[in-house]
């Protein structure tokens, strides 16, 4: 099943929002199961809004027989004061290439010092895992944060299986416990970052329609790193020693979930 997982809001062709927030009670922190909902959304102004709006039009026309015309949308001129290079990257089942996965692999492969990742689901394929391992082997520090309280148990065990491999290579793994972590961000070296809808799993890379903003701005990257570091105050750290102590039932669940990883 193909799912449009893109979460964008465009106002008067001048302001755009892109990130992890859906529209629902749980995203306001009012669902009893999760409580506080930790998410991330990016507010954007400037000419890049046109690219987000064009993607909306393409999505509308792809899914609806009543086509939207470009001329009924707002495409105003923007007076940009604080210029920040940015690129809107999309992919989906109608793409010939896994653009978003390749973008993130390229980011991780180009890192020289540090990588910060926040994601609700961490079940990437072999190519993504290899990029992470090579970065760690080259001395790059990698910090990964996932929910401590999952919304889908199979996804949690699948995530633990993948993260267990990276622990052996020296990754720092944090389990967010304040509520549910739904933020989807990746930052490298305090220089480049991406915020969007893409989870780190096969479903987002290949089956869902996804969208991310790639931001070439040091201030934005540093702010995201600072948010990550402040979130660690609400986390448990998953260490190699703690991971090694898991019992056979957890190991079985991890192995079973790993088999299901292409569809999780």
């Amino acid at each position: 099943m193909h799912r449009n997982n893109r979460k964008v809001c465009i106002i008067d062709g001048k302001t755009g929002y892109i990130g992890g927030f859906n529209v629902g009670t749980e995203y306001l922190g009012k669902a009893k199961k999760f409580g506080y909902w930790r998410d991330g959304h990016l507010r954007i102004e400037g000419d890049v809004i046109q690219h987000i709006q064009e993607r909306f039009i393409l999505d509308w026309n792809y899914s609806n027989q009543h086509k939207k015309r470009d001329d009924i949308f707002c495409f105003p001129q923007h007076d940009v004061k604080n210029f920040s290079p940015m690129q809107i990257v999309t992919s989906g089942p109608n793409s010939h290439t896994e653009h978003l996965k390749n973008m993130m692999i390229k980011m991780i492969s180009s890192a020289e010092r540090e990588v910060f990742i926040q994601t609700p689901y961490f079940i990437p394929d072999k190519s993504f895992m290899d990029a992470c391992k090579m970065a760690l082997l080259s001395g790059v520090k990698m910090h990964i944060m996932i929910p401590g309280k999952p919304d889908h148990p199979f996804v949690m065990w699948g995530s633990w299986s993948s993260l267990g491999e990276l622990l052996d290579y020296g990754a720092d793994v944090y389990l967010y416990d304040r509520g549910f972590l739904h933020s989807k961000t990746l930052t490298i070296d305090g220089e480049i970052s991406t915020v969007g809808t893409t989870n780190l799993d096969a479903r987002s890379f290949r089956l869902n329609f996804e969208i991310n903003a790639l931001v070439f701005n040091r201030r934005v990257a540093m702010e995201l790193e600072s948010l990550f570091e402040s979130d660690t105050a609400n986390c448990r750290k998953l260490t190699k020693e703690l991971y090694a102590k898991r019992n056979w039932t957890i190991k079985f669940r991890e192995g079973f979930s790993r088999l299901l990883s292409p569809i999780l």
Side-chain angles (χ1 to χ4, degrees), residues 145-190:
M145 189 180 297
I146 66 168
K149 181 179 181 180
D151 56 345
H152 303 294
F154 286 119
V155 172
M156 180 185 72
W157 302 126
S159 295
W160 274 53
S161 177
S162 298
L163 291 169
E165 287 188 43
L166 297 186
L167 285 173
D168 286 335
Y169 285 79
D172 290 327
V173 178
Y174 299 90
L175 306 176
Y176 186 83
D177 283 333
R178 183 181 176 188
F180 186 71
L181 177 73
H182 196 248
S183 181
K184 311 154 199 291
T185 65
L186 169 62
T187 305
I188 64 165
D189 295 340

Side-chain angles (χ1 to χ4, degrees), residues 63-213:
S63 60
N64 198 311
Q65 61 180 347
H66 302 292
K67 307 300 183 185
K68 286 288 185 182
R69 305 190 318 272
D70 293 2
D71 58 6
I72 67 174
F73 285 80
C74 298
F75 291 93
Q77 295 294 318
H78 297 90
D79 182 18
V80 180
K81 296 180 181 179
N82 297 311
F83 178 75
S84 175
M86 185 180 300
Q87 182 179 1
I88 301 301
V89 184
T90 65
S91 67
N94 60 338
S95 302
H96 296 297
T97 304
E98 297 171 0
H99 299 295
L100 285 161
K101 183 189 78 171
N102 293 339
M103 175 194 75
M104 294 182 183
I105 288 176
K106 175 63 175 177
M107 290 176 68
I108 292 171
S109 299
S110 63
E112 297 180 354
R113 299 186 303 277
E114 280 190 296
V115 175
F116 290 84
I117 297 173
Q118 283 188 322
T119 179
Y121 317 120
F122 189 89
I123 317 176
D125 63 10
K126 186 177 184 300
S127 61
F128 193 99
M129 288 290 287
D130 285 345
C132 292
K133 292 174 184 178
M134 285 188 287
L136 288 162
L137 287 171
S138 66
V140 173
K141 295 180 179 179
M142 184 170 293
H143 315 278
I144 304 171
M145 189 180 297
I146 66 168
K149 181 179 181 180
D151 56 345
H152 303 294
F154 286 119
V155 172
M156 180 185 72
W157 302 126
S159 295
W160 274 53
S161 177
S162 298
L163 291 169
E165 287 188 43
L166 297 186
L167 285 173
D168 286 335
Y169 285 79
D172 290 327
V173 178
Y174 299 90
L175 306 176
Y176 186 83
D177 283 333
R178 183 181 176 188
F180 186 71
L181 177 73
H182 196 248
S183 181
K184 311 154 199 291
T185 65
L186 169 62
T187 305
I188 64 165
D189 295 340
E191 300 285 348
I192 304 173
S193 55
T194 182
V195 178
T197 67
T198 310
N199 300 307
L200 301 186
D201 57 23
R203 184 168 292 278
S204 274
F205 290 156
R206 290 192 292 273
L207 300 179
N208 290 345
F209 295 90
E210 306 281 5
I211 184 169
N212 271 53

Side-chain angles (χ1 to χ4, degrees), residues 234-246:
N234 297 302
C235 291
R236 291 170 288 139
K237 196 166 183 180
L238 180 61
T239 63
K240 289 176 63 175
E241 294 74 21
L242 180 62
Y243 185 73
K245 292 180 180 179
R246 68 201 194 285

Side-chain angles (χ1 to χ4, degrees), residues 249-262:
T249 58
I250 294 178
K251 293 178 182 178
F252 174 81
R253 292 168 185 170
E254 284 185 14
F256 184 71
S257 297
R258 191 66 174 261
L259 291 174
L260 299 177
S261 61

